Amino acid sequence: MIIILSSNATDQDVDKVVTNLKGRGYGIHLSRGVEKTIIGAIGAPDEDKADIAQRIEALPFVERVVSILKPYKLVGREFHPERTVINVRGVTIGGDEIVVMAGPCCVESEEQLLTTARAARKAGARVLRGGAFKPSTSPYSFQGLGEEALKYMAAARDETGMPIITEVMDARDIDLVLKYSDILQVGARNMANFSLLKEIGLARKPVMLKRGLSSTIEEWLQAAEYIASRGNYDIILCERGIRTFETYTRNTFDINAIPAVKGLAHLPVIADTSHGTGRWHLVEPVGRAAIAAGADGLMIEVHPNPEVALKDGPQSLKIDTFERLMRGLIPIIEAVGRTPGWSA
Ligand code: PEP
Ligand code: MN
């Protein structure tokens, strides 16, 4: 249930309710908005709830007690009506500005990464992506350079000032990835790896949670709930396409999911139209559509020479095509009343 306090509630009032609920076995999550303080009380036995809700509602500083029927509670809009804005080294995700995360699918060499990072930054990208641990379908294909790649990414951040995002595939690598990366990425194949999600929930760095290949919106939001339930609320959702019967595209980018999750959850939403389409010439038009549908930003794979990329060459943009995409996004961003944060 969530307890909405009236605006005159004092810190002592909040403490009183929190202590009482903790004593009854509830897990407590506090959301202090500009206008309201909301206490989320989760996980106590069902039989208590109606009685406790009634008693709390009778307190003079309580406006309302609402039980949340949805299976995701902390990431839902009821608990946190204001949108979550995440600040990563001065880049705000989920605010007014549209943020583009760009970089190669895999970090292949220091030179490949730096060339891409410099060009992406110049074109207006704010976050550098790059895979160090790769979730490859085949055990024989490239698995990533591991820590070496993380070092190159940190060097590229030092030079360009762009915060970095990279995937963590295994709970045993979390500390290593945390040492270098500014945002942890949970890949589509790991969206339902609940033990990984729980461990990541203990980290105090933003996480971008990709939607599973065959996951419903509700399953995706419950995966986000796993992370939030451990106290990490800085979660970015990433729609990256789902499996359908269509084979022309690698995945079917689910445009519906963008306004749907923005309505259901308070978290920022990024659209990965590289994996969402699998074809470089579709990345730009579908990216424009995603921004028009309300996405807070894009994740785009860029490679200086996609023909020789070790992974995902067919969906990677060349540098000049990426520059064109960035210029072309500006009128769409302005049309939906947002700010590009870069100029043509
Ligand atoms: C990636 O971003 O490099 C990646 C592997 O994406 P996904 O998990 O969406 O397939
Ligand atoms: Mn990729």
Side-chain angles (χ1 to χ4, degrees):
M1 69 185 144
I2 59 174
I3 298 133
I4 302 158
L5 302 185
S6 44
S7 50
N8 59 6
T10 62
D11 286 350
Q12 286 93 312
D13 294 335
V14 176
D15 284 349
K16 190 169 152 189
V17 179
V18 167
T19 313
N20 184 305
L21 289 169
K22 275 190 180 160
R24 294 171 189 272
Y26 281 92
I28 298 297
H29 299 263
L30 208 54
S31 161
R32 284 180 195 269
V34 188
E35 292 180 8
K36 288 193 189 312
T37 296
I38 301 179
I39 301 172
I42 291 168
D46 280 342
E47 58 270 26
D48 277 332
K49 280 182 187 151
D51 178 46
I52 294 172
Q54 221 173 24
R55 279 197 250 171
I56 290 178
E57 202 149 38
L59 294 168
F61 51 86
V62 170
E63 190 177 292
R64 209 149 41 96
V65 177
V66 186
S67 64
I68 307 182
L69 300 173
K70 293 202 178 80
Y72 47 89
K73 300 176 192 298
L74 301 172
V75 304
R77 294 294 294 268
E78 288 106 327
F79 173 58
H80 195 288
E82 290 141 22
R83 299 223 62 86
T84 286
V85 178
I86 299 174
N87 188 309
V88 190
R89 289 180 182 262
V91 177
T92 50
I93 302 172
D96 184 45
E97 260 180 34
I98 297 295
V99 170
V100 176
M101 306 179 174
C105 178
C106 309
V107 177
E108 298 168 7
S109 69
E110 187 165 23
E111 200 205 323
Q112 169 247 19
L113 182 69
L114 271 175
T115 308
T116 315
R118 287 178 190 136
R121 180 73 194 97
K122 196 156 161 252
R126 302 296 306 279
V127 177
L128 177 65
R129 66 146 285 143
F133 296 96
K134 292 307 300 179
S136 295
T137 304
S138 164
Y140 307 117
S141 58
F142 184 55
Q143 306 284 310
L145 295 178
E147 187 170 8
E148 190 186 340
L150 298 175
K151 287 184 176 157
Y152 297 155
M153 288 199 76
R157 170 183 58 212
D158 290 346
E159 192 194 302
T160 62
M162 297 160 95
I164 54 182
I165 177 167
T166 197
E167 177 164 353
V168 55
M169 282 175 53
D170 189 316
R172 288 168 296 189
D173 297 327
I174 292 177
D175 286 342
L176 177 67
V177 176
L178 278 173
K179 198 169 127 196
Y180 295 95
S181 189
D182 302 301
I183 308 174
L184 302 174
Q185 176 171 317
V186 177
R189 289 157 194 82
N190 263 326
M191 188 212 81
N193 180 343
F194 303 119
S195 50
L196 177 67
L197 300 178
K198 285 196 230 169
E199 288 301 316
I200 282 183
L202 298 174
R204 290 297 169 262
K205 269 204 182 161
V207 184
M208 188 170 88
L209 177 67
K210 289 193 145 197
R211 179 178 181 183
L213 284 76
S214 309
S215 301
T216 65
I217 286 172
E218 193 166 279
E219 287 161 348
W220 184 20
L221 294 177
Q222 286 185 89
E225 187 78 13
Y226 260 100
I227 300 172
S229 70
R230 292 295 184 99
N232 189 347
Y233 304 114
D234 284 342
I235 306 163
I236 303 160
L237 297 168
C238 177
E239 164 59 38
R240 47 78 72 209
I242 48 174
R243 279 275 167 90
T244 67
F245 57 82
E246 183 54 70
T247 53
Y248 176 74
T249 46
R250 182 178 178 188
N251 292 293
T252 298
F253 184 80
D254 183 8
I255 195 90
N256 301 348
I258 306 264
V261 289
K262 290 217 46 164
L264 296 169
H266 52 82
L267 307 173
V269 180
I270 294 288
D272 171 353
T273 60
S274 300
H275 294 90
T277 62
R279 290 182 179 257
W280 72 266
H281 67 282
L282 300 179
V283 170
E284 178 180 352
V286 182
R288 289 159 68 106
I291 297 296
D296 298 295
L298 302 180
M299 171 171 261
I300 307 287
E301 286 187 340
V302 183
H303 195 287
N305 192 358
E307 291 81 13
V308 297
L310 294 181
K311 234 174 169 322
D312 291 353
Q315 69 190 34
S316 298
L317 297 189
K318 291 184 177 154
I319 285 165
D320 59 346
T321 325
F322 178 68
E323 289 165 350
R324 194 186 71 199
L325 169 144
M326 293 298 279
R327 285 193 297 274
L329 283 178
I330 292 175
I332 310 284
I333 294 172
E334 288 170 350
V336 293
R338 308 280 294 264
T339 312
W342 71 92
S343 47

